[in-house]
Amino acid sequence: MTKYGEDRNGQNKICVITGLPGSGKSHLLKEKIIPELRKQSKKIICVDPNCEYKPSRGFMVYRIQDYDNAEEEFETMIRYYMTDPEGRKKKPDCIIVDESNVVFQKLSLPPYTKKLVNTLRHEKIDLVVVARRPVDVNITMSELARERYVFRVSGVNDIKRLNDIMTGLGDEALNLGVHDYFHIVDDHKKQLVKASA
């Protein structure tokens, strides 16, 4: 199996993880992606609306306090890191946003979040967004994603969105086995990963 970030050629990027509840998204993050980042001594911030993650050294967890104002909370956190011209605040190497549809509820992104998305490479930050449904991923982030993990989908609109991203992807994702997923790089290199692997 290709490891997280293996094909990125040293460039920071957006990674999108989608799949139905219980499909294996959290397992992938906790057992494969986060350990890979920690092996590289990356400082990680995980935005965690549902209290699924525990903080540890080098792994900060930000708990959303108010679902109705989740986007504003995230914007405040990003502004804290993005408005530090002297570089005194240690920026994270990776920001993981679980249940990203709670955090990014609008079509357009607020100013500092937009700046982050547009300058990831210069800021040297990876952004990992996780959502149950492909249609719940903010369209800007989806369009700019360099890496995807696609678990089983069932909704007509989700299948269509995936088919628009890569011919036949939605139809194939509909028939994925439990905990199987596709690992996709640059929306053209696709690898099936079986749960038993």
Side-chain angles (χ1 to χ4, degrees):
M1 179 191 111
T2 306
K3 290 180 185 172
Y4 168 79
E6 212 168 63
D7 290 298
R8 70 180 168 179
N9 300 320
Q11 294 184 19
N12 296 84
K13 55 139 179 12
I14 294 174
C15 172
V16 172
I17 302 171
T18 57
L20 295 171
S23 61
K25 300 182 305 294
S26 295
H27 179 79
L28 174 71
L29 271 168
K30 292 174 183 175
E31 301 300 321
K32 295 186 179 177
I33 293 176
I34 292 169
E36 185 62 33
L37 289 165
R38 298 201 63 184
K39 262 197 260 180
Q40 300 168 26
S41 300
K42 302 284 188 185
K43 180 181 175 188
I44 306 163
I45 294 177
C46 181
V47 179
D48 181 19
N50 293 337
C51 300
E52 285 187 52
Y53 298 86
K54 292 184 177 162
S56 60
R57 190 164 190 241
F59 185 79
M60 187 180 111
V61 175
Y62 181 85
R63 307 244 192 257
I64 295 295
Q65 303 299 308
D66 179 3
Y67 264 42
D68 291 337
N69 294 305
E71 190 167 58
E72 289 80 7
E73 283 186 47
F74 184 82
E75 179 74 352
T76 299
M77 182 187 80
I78 293 304
R79 183 173 54 237
Y80 172 81
Y81 289 107
M82 301 294 280
T83 56
D84 181 24
E86 285 83 42
R88 287 182 297 224
K89 301 168 194 159
K90 176 72 172 106
K91 289 182 185 173
D93 299 301
C94 180
I95 299 171
I96 297 169
V97 183
D98 201 4
E99 302 293 344
S100 66
N101 54 299
V102 171
V103 179
F104 309 117
Q105 298 177 7
K106 300 178 184 110
L107 186 58
S108 62
L109 297 170
Y112 287 100
T113 303
K114 184 186 288 185
K115 181 180 178 188
L116 171 71
V117 167
N118 289 329
T119 61
L120 289 171
R121 186 169 56 89
H122 302 293
E123 298 293 337
K124 296 182 173 46
I125 298 172
D126 282 346
L127 178 62
V128 178
V129 293
V130 184
R132 295 175 182 189
R133 304 182 58 210
V135 295
D136 284 342
V137 176
N138 174 276
I139 194 69
T140 300
M141 293 178 186
S142 182
E143 293 289 324
L144 294 174
R146 294 201 52 225
E147 192 167 3
R148 296 178 198 276
Y149 295 85
V150 177
F151 290 83
R152 190 173 186 282
V153 296
S154 62
V156 172
N157 292 323
D158 293 320
I159 293 166
K160 182 181 180 327
R161 170 69 63 87
L162 291 175
N163 283 338
D164 289 344
I165 290 168
M166 188 176 196
T167 304
L169 178 60
D171 299 319
E172 292 178 84
L174 174 65
N175 296 308
L176 281 171
V178 178
H179 306 303
D180 295 345
Y181 62 89
F182 289 113
H183 180 204
I184 299 157
V185 177
D186 293 329
D187 289 341
H188 72 273
K189 290 177 10 184
K190 177 176 66 176
Q191 177 183 9
L192 173 63
V193 179
K194 303 292 276 181
S196 58

